[in-house]
Amino acid sequence: MQLLTATLLALLTFGLVSPSRADTCNVRVVFTKGGFIVGVGGGHGVLTCHGKHYRFAVSGMSVGFTIGASTAQLVGHALNVRSPGDIQGSYAAIGASGALAAGAGGVQLQNEKGVILQLAGGKLGVELSAAVGGVTLRLE
């Protein structure tokens, strides 16, 4: 038992075991979506961490009730970011939204790396949606 305690103390003292450090970064996204039954969309965004900007592309698709087209301008935060590359990946979402001329809403998504996107903003266009969808982010 004393050997185990001494080994753990040595590892902590010399920095071989370090706590995980995750940041909260700012995110801005512009996403255009349209469709009838199947909705498809794409856009771009910027992740800002520690004063540095990282551009990314957004693509997505939803299946369910979707009709019309809209453009959403969303802002918010990315939580649990250990490195800018962590924002890449697939985010699943289930939800309903709508916009007629102008609307507002929010969404919370999580990817396989544990990054959580909390986004809110407005939509312009005419779109009604009650669909299951997914979004993929890729650094440019």
Side-chain angles (χ1 to χ4, degrees), residues 24-107:
T24 297
C25 302
N26 295 319
V27 179
R28 180 174 301 274
V29 179
V30 176
F31 189 79
T32 300
K33 177 181 166 188
F36 181 73
I37 307 300
V38 175
V40 294
H44 56 88
V46 176
L47 173 72
T48 304
C49 290
H50 303 286
K52 294 184 180 179
H53 305 290
Y54 304 91
R55 292 185 50 81
F56 58 86
V58 183
S59 60
M61 186 171 95
S62 62
V63 177
F65 175 76
T66 299
I67 187 166
S70 68
T71 296
Q73 295 185 8
L74 306 169
V75 295
H77 302 315
L79 310 173
N80 302 328
V81 177
R82 289 176 180 75
S83 76
D86 286 350
I87 198 169
Q88 297 186 112
S90 298
Y91 294 80
I94 299 174
S97 64
L100 178 57
V107 66

